[in-house]
Amino acid sequence: MGSSVAQTGVRILVEAGIRRVYAVLGESFLELLDALQMESAINVISARHDTGASFMAEADGKLTEHPAVVLASRGPGAANLAIGVQTAYQDETPMVVLLETPASTPIATGGLPAVDLRAMFKPLAKWSGYTENPDEVPGLLVEALNACRFGRPGPAVLAVPSDAWGVPYDSAKPIAEVLTPVTGALGMAADSVAQLIDEARYPVVIVGGRARSARDELILTAEELALPVYNAFRRQDAFPENHARYAGHLGLGIPERQLDALERADLVLALGTQLDEVTTQSYRYPTPTQTLVMVGTGLGETHKKGLTFRVESEVEPFLRELRTIARPRPRRASAANAAVHTFMTPPDTSHNARVHPVDVIRTLRRLAPEDTIVTSDAGNFAQFMHRYWCFTAPRSQLGPSNAAMGYAVPAAVAAKLAEPRRTVVAMVGDGGTLMTGQEIETAVRYRAPIIVVVFQNGVHGGLAMHQAKARGRLSGVAVELVDFATWARGLGAAGYTVEGRDELEAIIASALVRQRPCVIDVRTDPDVVTPDIRLSGLLAAARQLPIVE
């Protein structure tokens, strides 16, 4: 029996286990949308903006480790996806991107609606494909699904002419299968690494997002081999931060004492991480004298000069093999663990008249369930969450390592749709909220009761911090406060405003039991820009500067 290219494509997506497709639904992909609407196994999520849709698909893939699909029309729609696709590429997140190209005509140049999308996305994607032949679309879709998951996971982009989806397709025609990733050979590799660990005096582990699925095995390995473990930047749920072998989060503003175990290490075992700039503390670690072992699939080159071994394997089977070979050895818990406790102990804020960001994190952490999923944006406010939340549950953190603003709210919507029984909290600044906060309406429409906490202090915190350090004065960093509570109610959500410390607990408790999306607009102390830096009144002087009309 015959079918269309769209119907065949949807069948491939179902067989591959795709459960959600994100898009701004319009005049594009009409035949594909009709086929998707007839398939109960796949939910089509209509977002309010293409950027939000791309962040949702990325967060879905990051949380579930299984690709979601995002659709975009040519021109502005495709261009708006760029930051979400780049986030997926940097964070090794599986994602399939389907783009519309002009109907059955050669790709032209000059106008954005007809721009060469292959060239546009090639630097941002792991794999890209295009065809003008509708018969080739199903096969390329299979290629995209395989490419986004094998080796180093990432976004696979497939551009298809707008009229290809409705073309009849011979359903009897054979199509390559969507494959299941397999692990590499482990025996000799695990034996060699076990020998390195046995001989090392100060081995340490750095664990990234792709080791999340190996969490239980990682805990057993750290305990049996007495290994201190660091979490990579914004991958704080990879290893529990309350474990005795936890050495710290390799994020921003980390004190030297917490880096002591990494500084002294003679062997660094990097599991499921590409060792990005922040994790390596601006490529300070591993040092040229430290032996580095990288375990993962699709490993790229590192910035390290020195002895490096690469093990092409998923993390969990490697650790399982390693534990059967390596000799348990007693080592004292690292002093870095004691430094972590000091670093994560909140300061006394009882004397503050205004809301301190620490109060927000501390109250949320106490009242929210243990397995709450926390999403975050870029911005200085996030440092308070990184430092004081204490991630203990698996798959509980979603944040972009590429400093993308506007990530938190769309990511929270996707997380709630993927894990409807878990509490989801988005932590975001006022700038990020204004970029993609319209996706709160998406949460309202799909009955996804997320909680959005907006940290608002009337100042561009990152810009103010750098100006204060360099010049001792501020200019152009003061901004007007926005009434996010009223704005949220206009989108159909519940809206709260917190201006004093005494209001905070009751409002958070109320939001946690509401079965609807909630926005909590927290007016924090404008002088506080990071856990360790205050502007010390400079902002008041900055507000007196003349405004250029």
Side-chain angles (χ1 to χ4, degrees):
M1 181 178 178
S3 63
S4 68
V5 172
Q7 291 168 329
T8 304
V10 170
R11 188 174 73 247
I12 291 170
L13 295 178
V14 172
E15 291 173 355
I18 300 299
R19 293 294 174 261
R20 282 167 292 279
V21 173
Y22 299 91
V24 175
L25 302 181
E27 75 280 5
S28 304
F29 299 97
L30 295 180
E31 294 84 3
L32 180 58
L33 291 174
D34 286 343
L36 285 167
Q37 295 291 347
M38 299 298 293
E39 178 49 65
S40 60
I42 297 179
N43 292 322
V44 180
I45 311 301
S46 176
R48 296 306 299 259
H49 195 276
D50 300 283
T51 302
S54 68
F55 280 143
M56 290 179 193
E58 195 282 336
D60 194 319
K62 184 176 285 175
L63 179 64
T64 65
E65 295 189 357
H66 197 79
V69 175
V70 61
L71 312 179
S73 59
R74 52 194 162 117
N80 287 331
L81 291 186
I83 183 59
V85 176
Q86 197 277 332
T87 301
Y89 183 80
Q90 181 158 330
D91 285 6
E92 303 179 276
T93 303
M95 174 197 287
V96 173
V97 183
L98 298 180
L99 303 176
E100 174 201 31
T101 60
S104 302
T105 57
I107 293 180
T109 58
L112 182 58
V115 73
D116 185 348
L117 296 178
R118 290 171 295 174
M120 176 180 169
F121 279 94
K122 188 174 182 180
L124 307 177
K126 176 189 175 184
W127 178 95
S128 60
Y130 170 77
T131 182
E132 293 180 5
N133 182 353
D135 268 3
E136 295 178 350
V137 172
L140 286 172
L141 182 57
V142 171
E143 280 191 50
L145 287 161
N146 286 332
C148 76
R149 298 177 304 136
F150 277 83
R152 185 185 192 270
V157 178
L158 175 58
V160 178
S162 58
D163 58 347
W165 296 103
V167 174
Y169 186 83
D170 182 1
S171 59
K173 189 177 297 184
I175 303 173
E177 294 182 1
V178 177
L179 304 175
T180 301
V182 295
T183 60
L186 299 178
M188 292 183 63
D191 186 70
S192 299
V193 175
Q195 185 175 347
L196 289 172
I197 293 174
D198 288 342
E199 294 172 354
R201 294 186 63 193
Y202 302 113
V204 301
V205 174
I206 300 175
V207 60
R210 292 185 54 203
R212 282 171 165 145
S213 58
R215 179 185 168 101
D216 292 343
E217 197 66 40
L218 174 64
I219 292 172
L220 289 173
T221 303
E223 291 172 347
E224 291 181 15
L225 304 184
L227 301 173
V229 180
Y230 286 94
N231 281 327
F233 180 47
R234 293 192 162 172
R235 303 296 177 262
Q236 293 172 260
D237 55 349
F239 188 81
E241 295 190 312
N242 59 348
H243 194 280
R245 290 291 166 183
Y246 178 59
H249 168 228
L250 294 174
L252 300 169
I254 304 303
E256 288 295 319
R257 189 181 174 207
Q258 196 170 314
L259 296 172
D260 177 65
L262 188 53
E263 182 70 35
R264 293 192 305 151
D266 50 1
L267 173 66
V268 177
L269 186 60
L271 304 176
T273 174
Q274 294 284 343
L275 297 176
D276 60 70
E277 181 179 358
V278 179
T279 297
T280 59
Q281 306 293 290
S282 297
Y283 303 113
R284 174 179 169 185
Y285 303 107
T287 67
T289 61
Q290 293 172 331
T291 299
L292 170 64
V293 176
M294 298 186 71
V295 179
T297 56
L299 295 172
E301 294 298 316
T302 68
H303 293 262
K304 177 181 181 290
K305 295 180 180 179
L307 192 57
T308 301
F309 299 95
R310 291 177 175 80
V311 180
E312 186 74 15
S313 167
E314 296 292 348
V315 175
E316 185 172 19
F318 169 80
L319 289 178
R320 192 180 301 117
E321 186 75 13
L322 180 66
R323 283 201 306 116
T324 65
I325 299 171
R327 185 175 71 250
R329 179 175 168 182
R331 293 184 178 93
R332 290 187 303 170
S334 168
N337 184 257
V340 165
H341 287 290
T342 301
F343 185 65
M344 294 175 64
T345 300
D348 179 13
T349 59
S350 59
H351 59 282
N352 285 51
R354 307 185 72 165
V355 180
H356 194 290
V358 168
D359 299 327
V360 182
I361 304 301
R362 184 160 43 191
T363 304
L364 265 168
R365 191 68 178 95
R366 187 175 73 253
L367 298 179
E370 186 74 14
D371 67 345
T372 294
I373 299 172
V374 179
T375 72
S376 65
D377 254 36
N380 282 12
F381 74 88
Q383 291 190 39
F384 296 93
M385 178 269 295
H386 291 312
R387 183 165 173 174
Y388 298 118
W389 182 265
C390 189
F391 289 87
T392 57
R395 300 186 187 280
S396 56
Q397 182 185 34
L398 294 174
S401 65
N402 62 347
M405 291 186 66
Y407 181 87
V409 175
V413 176
K416 190 64 178 179
L417 293 173
E419 294 277 1
R421 296 183 181 276
R422 295 176 67 179
T423 299
V424 179
V425 177
M427 297 193 187
V428 60
D430 50 359
T433 306
L434 291 173
M435 288 179 182
T436 57
Q438 67 270 23
E439 301 304 341
I440 290 168
E441 190 279 333
T442 305
V444 171
R445 203 163 6 102
Y446 287 94
R447 294 178 173 84
I450 62 173
I451 298 173
V452 178
V453 180
V454 183
F455 291 77
Q456 187 177 196
N457 61 359
V459 59
H460 290 305
L463 303 179
M465 178 187 72
H466 290 295
Q467 283 195 32
K469 284 182 175 180
R471 305 163 64 216
R473 57 190 174 86
L474 306 179
S475 59
V477 299
V479 294
E480 293 298 321
L481 295 176
V482 176
D483 186 352
F484 283 109
T486 300
W487 172 78
R489 289 192 286 269
L491 294 174
Y496 305 88
T497 301
V498 177
E499 298 195 35
R501 296 176 71 253
D502 56 338
E503 304 171 302
L504 189 60
E505 182 165 339
I507 287 176
I508 289 177
S510 175
L512 285 168
V513 298
R514 295 288 292 268
Q515 293 302 307
R516 63 186 295 194
C518 298
V519 174
I520 305 176
D521 178 7
V522 184
R523 307 292 175 87
T524 62
D525 187 342
D527 271 352
V528 180
V529 291
T530 77
D532 300 307
I533 297 176
R534 295 183 65 93
L535 296 180
S536 303
L538 286 175
L539 186 63
R543 292 190 185 277
Q544 304 304 313
L545 293 174
I547 298 176
V548 179
E549 297 290 349

